[in-house]
Amino acid sequence: MNPYVLTTLLSSLGLGTTLTFASSHWLLAWMGLEINTLAIIPLMAQHHHPRAVEATTKYFLIQATAAAVILFAGTANAWATGEWSMANMSDPVATTMVLAALSLKVGLAPMHFWMPEVLQGLDLLTGLVLSTWQKLAPFALIIQTSQAFDPLLLTALGLTSTLIGGWGGLNQTQLRKVLAYSSIAHMGWMIIVLQYAPHLTFLALLMYILMTSAAFLTLKLSYATKIGTLATTWSKTPLLTATAALVFLSLGGLPPLTGFMPKWLILQELAKQGLPFTATIMALAALISLYFYLRLCYSMTLIISPNTAASTTPWRTQTTQVSTPLALFTMMTLGLLPITPAVTALLI
């Protein structure tokens, strides 16, 4: 892609998200979301592969539908209350419509069906942008309007997402689909604690972005898109294979890795709020997710790739890819748990 075009598109991505962050008016928020969607469409379709074009079309239709519903809900709320402000969401129909549309935008279950299919059709870098940056603007709106939502509805969305994210990822062989279901499960963790401790939702989103970035960049560096390909990575990049296994375990929320921090704090908060049953289901759902991360670790570290006389085992190869961002993200994904008290003190 032409560097000038790429710069324009990435600037528009940043502008759309910043506009949504800064807005307290539904029309401005909607404009930010639309700029965001339109800026990523060319990035998604840049390879001109039929799957990429299909994924782009699906993504555009879903995001356009969600944005239209948000605009309609904002208008309905303005009709009922006389103002466009997000702070005054007193119309119950408009509030429910906003939550449904924003859930569709971030891929919360049961509005998650587009997410694995779209992510599967994209290359790993665009998939990384879709899984991390594109979540920021809708989540900013969800956090801003969280107090207007029905707590029972948020709990139901959170539990459904965590369970479906776990179950859906069990039978996958494509790594991008595994990461899509992982994203759905993480969204569930963020949404369930939203009304009780919004700062924990923000923390979970931050940690999810760190861990997912490390996972996507690892797969990009090792050119892996299927579980079967992971078996060859140990002979090419042994150190990367070791850190990748730890990154996947961190995504699963295993102590003493960074991924344990948000899960631990969220379960603690749910117990404090008198919801031990909900906390128990969330913890058990995390175990389901952990199983498919362990499956990835098993494929990477304990399986030797089948080798015949016709094919030579790929051996250590020099790569031209930049690995500095991967090193930074991996370091943060593996070692931030000890600074949990400092992080919570900063956020509260």
Side-chain angles (χ1 to χ4, degrees):
M1 188 179 272
N2 185 312
Y4 296 116
V5 175
L6 186 63
T7 308
T8 307
L9 292 174
L10 292 177
S11 305
S12 301
L13 265 182
L15 172 70
T17 306
T18 312
L19 195 61
T20 308
F21 278 174
S23 62
S24 57
H25 188 290
W26 278 117
L27 204 57
L28 269 175
W30 170 79
M31 281 168 61
L33 292 171
E34 284 295 280
I35 292 169
N36 218 329
T37 303
L38 293 174
I40 202 172
I41 293 293
L43 293 173
M44 292 169 78
Q46 64 182 319
H47 296 297
H48 305 294
H49 190 278
R51 279 189 187 166
V53 174
E54 183 191 336
T56 308
T57 310
K58 284 177 180 172
Y59 182 75
F60 174 72
L61 291 172
I62 291 290
Q63 297 297 313
T65 306
V69 173
I70 287 171
L71 189 60
F72 182 67
T75 312
N77 189 64
W79 184 274
T81 62
E83 56 178 297
W84 282 87
S85 170
M86 287 179 201
N88 186 13
M89 289 292 293
S90 53
D91 185 31
V93 178
T95 308
T96 311
M97 283 171 71
V98 163
L99 182 57
L102 291 172
S103 302
L104 185 61
K105 269 202 169 289
V106 294
L108 272 168
M111 280 79 84
H112 67 286
F113 294 100
W114 62 271
M115 182 86 184
E117 299 300 323
V118 167
L119 211 56
Q120 179 57 30
L122 305 177
D123 66 300
L124 288 165
L125 262 187
T126 318
L128 169 61
V129 174
L130 187 76
S131 302
T132 54
W133 186 262
Q134 292 298 92
K135 307 279 189 209
L136 292 176
F139 249 96
L141 295 181
I142 290 173
I143 290 170
Q144 276 191 68
T145 52
S146 61
Q147 296 311 313
F149 301 139
D150 180 12
L152 195 62
L153 191 57
L154 287 178
T155 306
L157 278 172
L159 286 172
T160 314
S161 298
T162 319
L163 288 164
I164 286 178
W167 281 113
L170 288 180
N171 204 25
Q172 300 300 331
T173 56
Q174 297 286 341
L175 295 173
R176 282 165 293 188
K177 280 195 175 179
V178 167
L179 287 169
Y181 281 109
S182 155
S183 171
I184 293 162
H186 278 90
M187 292 297 126
W189 280 90
M190 291 170 217
I191 214 84
I192 201 148
V193 79
L194 182 62
Q195 280 197 328
Y196 310 115
H199 64 278
L200 289 185
T201 298
F202 178 69
L203 173 68
L205 181 60
L206 199 63
M207 293 304 146
Y208 160 76
I209 288 172
L210 288 180
M211 295 184 292
T212 305
S213 301
F216 268 102
L217 291 172
T218 301
L219 297 179
K220 183 178 176 290
L221 202 71
S222 52
Y223 300 102
T225 53
K226 293 194 285 286
I227 287 185
T229 323
L230 289 178
T232 64
T233 52
W234 71 271
S235 58
K236 290 190 281 187
T237 47
L239 190 61
L240 184 69
T241 306
T243 55
L246 290 171
V247 164
F248 286 127
L249 290 177
S250 185
L251 265 169
L254 210 66
L257 304 166
T258 304
F260 180 58
M261 183 203 298
K263 287 187 168 60
W264 173 28
L265 293 171
I266 287 168
L267 289 176
Q268 193 179 11
E269 184 63 34
L270 289 173
K272 254 192 235 170
Q273 297 290 340
L275 300 165
F277 184 63
T278 309
T280 307
I281 296 174
M282 293 296 284
L284 291 173
L287 281 180
I288 306 172
S289 297
L290 186 61
Y291 174 79
F292 64 74
Y293 296 122
L294 282 169
R295 196 164 145 237
L296 297 184
C297 297
Y298 175 74
S299 300
M300 290 186 90
T301 54
L302 295 172
I303 287 182
I304 294 177
S305 169
N307 190 19
T308 60
S311 68
T312 55
T313 307
W315 200 240
R316 316 251 171 117
T317 51
Q318 290 297 318
T319 180
T320 54
Q321 295 188 61
V322 181
S323 56
T324 314
L326 172 61
L328 286 170
F329 281 121
T330 302
M331 195 171 66
M332 288 190 280
T333 300
L334 303 184
L336 289 186
L337 187 66
I339 63 161
T340 304
V343 172
T344 48
L346 275 172
L347 286 173
I348 293 171

